[in-house]
């Protein structure tokens, strides 16, 4: 199994920034594509961003392009999501995710593993 643990969520004013972290353990996480999903109150969980094994290929939801940046540090088994210019619409529980295979799988498919989630709240 792969275990994923997120951290870095919190309360921030609109226009501010947060960086989420996800630490992976259990298996060789460097051979998994990784990414982030989010779920706002009353809404379905949606794809946010994904990154390939080596970090050379990334995907973003249209709603976060130009504002969020996904990255990974395979030596330390950590995935990051840098969130800038945050909007109230970004308020949600953010989940780290991993899947065996290519990053494109995460854009529309179900991940193999989920983290427990971390709350991000953006005030007006």
């Amino acid at each position: 199994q792969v275990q994923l643990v997120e951290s870095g969520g919190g309360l921030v004013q609109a226009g501010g920034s947060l960086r989420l972290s996800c630490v992976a353990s259990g298996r060789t996480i460097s051979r998994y594509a990784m990414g982030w999903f989010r779920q706002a109150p009353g809404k379905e969980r949606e794809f946010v961003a994904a990154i390939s094994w080596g970090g050379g290929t990334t995907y973003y939801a249209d709603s976060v392009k130009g504002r969020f940046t996904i990255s990974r540090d395979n030596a330390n088994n950590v995935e990051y999501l840098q969130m800038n210019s945050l909007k109230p619409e970004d308020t949600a529980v953010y989940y780290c995710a991993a899947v065996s295979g290519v990053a494109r799988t995460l854009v529309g498919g179900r991940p193999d593993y989920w983290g427990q989630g971390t709350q991000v709240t953006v005030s007006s």
Side-chain angles (χ1 to χ4, degrees):
Q1 292 186 338
V2 172
Q3 294 81 45
L4 306 173
V5 180
E6 306 100 325
S7 62
L11 175 64
V12 65
Q13 292 184 341
S17 299
L18 285 173
R19 186 176 71 167
L20 306 183
S21 300
C22 174
V23 179
S25 63
R27 296 295 181 184
T28 305
I29 197 64
S30 62
R31 297 301 181 184
Y32 287 77
M34 301 187 70
W36 295 89
F37 290 72
R38 67 186 182 185
Q39 187 167 22
K43 301 183 70 175
E44 295 184 349
R45 191 171 299 187
E46 64 178 355
F47 167 78
V48 176
I51 188 167
S52 63
W53 295 352
T57 303
T58 57
Y59 300 89
Y60 296 95
D62 289 341
S63 59
V64 306
K65 286 181 179 177
R67 300 188 298 120
F68 291 10
T69 302
I70 188 171
S71 62
R72 66 191 296 169
D73 178 358
N74 288 341
N76 294 294
N77 297 321
V78 182
E79 178 193 30
Y80 301 100
L81 184 68
Q82 178 67 46
M83 304 184 294
N84 299 327
S85 301
L86 283 163
K87 305 174 181 179
E89 305 94 273
D90 296 317
T91 296
V93 176
Y94 283 71
Y95 297 90
C96 180
V99 65
S100 60
V102 297
R104 184 67 177 83
T105 303
L106 288 173
V107 177
R110 175 177 290 185
D112 293 328
Y113 303 99
W114 294 100
Q116 83 288 348
T118 185
Q119 177 70 48
V120 172
T121 302
V122 184
S123 62
S124 301

